[in-house]
């Protein structure tokens, strides 16, 4: 029967690079592809190439655990994450591609008095920011998540921050949907093409060297997550970014047993159930910088132990697969969307452990920055200058994932 699947039209073209583009975006992850998409859709700039050293979506975009939420503490963060969450609501219609957005609800458990106070503060802030979250007590947690153990043993569940319109989406589909839309607008997505050098003249970018030859450009957007420092070095500046492995794993598939996403940040683990039935699990980053795309064993052990305590029924599950990605972290755990010391080079990075949820909002804001040469309201606070000015946007608690 599969012979009827032959001859399908390719979702995106795979052209050879042209000599020159108005804009080159390096990195065909979600953020790079979304940047290109909104450059075309909102700003009418379509002479664009997205250059990817591997396959599109093969970086963190295809390796994350797909949690979408916007319950951040600081106003600039709430604005960009909520913009992204709102765009997710009808992204499937916008791209005419089913990204399987599932706003099934997200809980961040409060398991110490300190955590309870912190999340209540976030709920108050979110309500002022127009982000819909609320605090719920332990019984409502139990009603929403019958498999949870709210009694401990180490840390009882004292309540949870609940975002009803948080949830998940299919990560590959987000990349594929943006890629197809970009290709349909006439943009070139060039895979298996590594940027190896950045050429400048008189302090302005003029092009890149790649494994497929030199390509000229008017503007360059560097959107390469864990490799941001590597690309910045090619252009002759430094970024306040550290790269480390973050990993996740999934169990064998089981019948539906949990229809919300739960993050248990004190014991340190989070879990959701995929549409296939696998329990999707993750914990913290490795405590040392590296580019391994694997992750250390002790995290698997500690996180699984924490989740068995929180959800005792998973103790007999077999784990199927484990993988890692290289996350790009700033000191204040907030992203960088910024001009750089080199003219017409822009950088979008620092989403760290939490940038899947922000892809549409980040792409929207980055496209505005690249098109106009100046940040719009969503990106304005996320410039590199904040590290010189000491104007940090501290989201270390909202990040949820220890790093
Ligand atoms: P990527 O998807 O990594 O794309 C960057 C691309 O740049 C890569 O494809 C890479 O190959 C390419 N590249 C690098 N160097 C070059 C070069 N020299 N030339 C050409 N191309 C180059 N976020 C959430 O919001 N929710 C979650 O639940 C969540 N869970 C996570 C779980 C794990 C295990 C991991 C690793 C991350 C998780 N994240 C989560 C974070 C999220 O995945 C990232 O923040 C986000 O995907 C970053 O997207 P990106 O497009 O910036 O990067
Ligand atoms: O940012 O919500 C998040 C997240 C969950 C797991 C990894 N990152």
């Amino acid at each position: 029967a599969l012979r009827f699947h032959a001859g399908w039209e390719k979702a995106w073209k795979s052209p050879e690079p042209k000599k020159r583009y108005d804009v080159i975006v390096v990195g065909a992850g979600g953020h790079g592809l979304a940047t290109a998409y909104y450059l075309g859709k909102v700003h009418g700039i379509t002479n664009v190439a997205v250059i990817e050293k591997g396959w599109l979506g093969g970086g963190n975009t295809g390796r994350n655990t797909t949690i979408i939420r916007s319950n951040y503490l600081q106003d600039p963060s709430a604005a960009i994450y909520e913009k992204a969450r709102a765009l997710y609501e009808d992204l499937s219609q916008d791209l005419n591609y089913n990204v399987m957005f599932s706003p099934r609800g997200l809980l961040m458990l409060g398991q110490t008095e300190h955590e309870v106070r912190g999340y209540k503060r976030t709920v108050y802030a979110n309500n002022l920011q127009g982000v819909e979250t609320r605090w719920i007590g332990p019984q409502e947690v139990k009603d929403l998540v019958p498999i949870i153990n709210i009694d401990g043993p180490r840390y009882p569940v004292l309540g949870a921050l609940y975002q009803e319109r948080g949830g998940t989406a299919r990560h590959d589909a987000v990349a594929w949907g943006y890629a197809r839309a970009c290709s349909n607008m006439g943009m070139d997505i060039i895979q298996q093409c590594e940027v190896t050098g950045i050429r400048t003249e008189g302090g302005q970018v003029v092009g890149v060297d790649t494994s497929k030859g030199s390509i000229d450009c008017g503007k360059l957007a560097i959107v390469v997550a864990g490799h941001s420092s590597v690309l910045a070095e090619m252009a002759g500046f430094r970024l306040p970014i550290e790269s480390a492995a973050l990993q996740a794993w999934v169990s064998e598939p089981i019948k539906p047993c949990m229809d919300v996403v739960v993050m248990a940040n004190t014991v340190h683990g989070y879990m959701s159930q995929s549409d296939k039935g696998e329990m999707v699990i993750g914990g913290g980053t490795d405590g040392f910088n590296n580019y391994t795309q694997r992750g250390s064993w002790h995290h698997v052990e500690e996180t699984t132990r924490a989740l068995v305590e929180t959800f005792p029924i998973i103790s007999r599950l077999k784990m199927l697969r484990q993988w890692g990605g290289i996350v790009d972290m700033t000191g204040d755990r907030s992203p960088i969307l910024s001009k750089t010391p080199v003219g017409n080079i822009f950088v979008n990075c620092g989403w760290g452990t939490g940038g899947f949820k922000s892809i549409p909002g980040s792409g929207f804001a980055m496209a505005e920055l690249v098109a106009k040469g100046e940040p719009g309201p969503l990106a304005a606070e996320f410039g590199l200058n904040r590290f010189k000015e000491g104007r940090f946007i501290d989201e270390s608690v909202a990040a949820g994932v220890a790093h």
Side-chain angles (χ1 to χ4, degrees):
L2 286 178
R3 72 178 184 282
F4 295 112
H5 288 265
W8 280 24
E9 196 183 331
K10 293 234 162 83
W12 52 83
K13 300 179 202 72
S14 294
E16 287 304 306
K18 293 194 287 203
K19 176 89 192 73
R20 185 187 184 282
Y21 294 90
D22 293 339
V23 179
I24 288 179
V25 178
V26 191
H31 290 262
L33 291 163
T35 299
Y37 174 70
Y38 295 108
L39 270 173
K41 180 181 165 163
V42 180
H43 304 281
I45 300 171
T46 54
N47 184 19
V48 175
V50 185
I51 298 185
E52 167 56 51
K53 73 172 176 182
W55 66 97
L56 72 84
N60 293 346
T61 299
R63 294 164 184 270
N64 72 83
T65 43
T66 78
I67 295 177
I68 294 172
R69 57 188 175 85
S70 56
N71 59 323
Y72 283 70
L73 180 64
Q74 314 291 351
D75 291 351
S77 328
I80 195 163
Y81 286 103
E82 177 58 18
K83 170 76 179 176
R85 201 206 56 74
L87 286 170
Y88 265 119
E89 291 270 359
D90 55 11
L91 193 60
S92 297
Q93 291 82 352
D94 186 28
L95 299 176
N96 187 26
Y97 200 101
N98 188 0
V99 302
M100 297 166 74
F101 177 54
S102 166
R104 59 185 67 180
L106 168 123
L107 300 180
M108 277 188 159
L109 303 182
Q111 294 185 279
T112 63
E113 288 297 339
H114 183 77
E115 209 175 17
V116 170
R117 284 188 198 168
Y119 286 146
K120 283 188 174 169
R121 179 184 176 210
T122 302
V123 168
Y124 298 140
N126 288 166
N127 290 183
L128 292 170
Q129 293 150 343
V131 175
E132 281 180 33
T133 60
R134 65 189 167 91
W135 178 256
I136 60 175
Q139 191 51 50
E140 198 172 344
V141 173
K142 183 74 182 166
D143 293 345
L144 282 164
V145 196
I147 64 168
I148 208 167
N149 168 20
I150 57 171
D151 297 326
R154 273 190 298 166
Y155 295 100
V157 174
L158 305 171
L161 179 154
Y162 182 32
Q163 182 166 24
E164 274 183 69
R165 296 300 289 179
T168 59
R170 173 77 197 270
H171 47 9
D172 304 310
V174 172
W176 297 339
Y178 276 122
R180 190 181 69 167
C182 289
S183 187
N184 286 346
M185 282 191 277
M187 298 179 182
D188 288 352
I189 299 166
I190 302 162
Q191 300 181 77
Q192 306 294 331
C193 179
E194 180 169 2
V195 171
T196 52
I198 295 176
R199 286 180 288 112
T200 60
E201 275 174 23
Q204 301 277 322
V205 70
V206 292
V208 293
D209 297 326
T210 79
S211 50
K212 294 191 176 183
S214 292
I215 313 173
D216 296 340
C217 64
K219 295 181 177 180
L220 182 69
I222 299 175
V223 197
V224 294
H227 286 87
S228 299
S229 309
V230 178
L231 269 286
E233 196 177 3
M234 291 178 196
F237 60 90
R238 298 191 68 193
L239 288 173
I241 291 280
E242 291 183 283
S243 296
L246 176 68
Q247 60 183 311
W249 49 102
V250 291
S251 74
E252 60 191 329
I254 55 173
K255 285 186 178 171
C257 65
M258 191 174 87
D259 62 2
V260 290
V261 180
V262 178
M263 299 184 73
N265 300 332
T266 287
V267 294
H268 220 96
Y270 62 89
M271 193 167 83
S272 64
Q273 189 165 24
S274 76
D275 294 341
K276 276 190 281 184
E278 300 161 336
M279 303 313 290
V280 181
I281 292 173
T285 53
D286 277 1
F288 51 94
N289 295 349
N290 66 88
Y291 288 95
T292 59
Q293 284 193 322
R294 266 203 309 266
S296 308
W297 284 115
H298 76 275
H299 273 299
V300 180
E301 192 177 339
E302 284 172 13
T303 305
T304 307
R305 191 189 304 144
L307 288 173
V308 167
E309 176 180 323
T310 315
F311 307 99
I313 72 154
I314 69 164
S315 66
R316 290 175 176 220
L317 279 184
K318 293 185 180 64
M319 295 299 147
L320 271 192
R321 300 190 298 284
Q322 176 267 8
W323 65 92
I326 308 160
V327 293
D328 44 333
M329 295 168 303
T330 58
D332 62 1
R333 299 342 191 193
S334 286
I336 298 169
L337 290 98
S338 187
K339 298 197 278 189
T340 69
V342 182
N344 282 332
I345 297 187
F346 305 89
V347 66
N348 179 346
C349 63
W351 295 99
T353 61
F356 175 69
K357 66 176 80 67
S358 60
I359 285 172
S362 155
F364 186 89
M366 184 66 179
E368 184 173 17
L369 171 62
V370 173
K372 297 182 178 165
E374 292 295 333
L378 282 176
E381 301 296 320
F382 293 107
L384 273 169
N385 51 359
R386 79 175 186 272
F387 297 98
K388 277 202 178 132
E389 294 161 5
R391 200 174 30 77
F392 302 121
I393 305 169
D394 183 359
E395 292 292 4
S396 36
V397 174
V401 171
H403 53 290

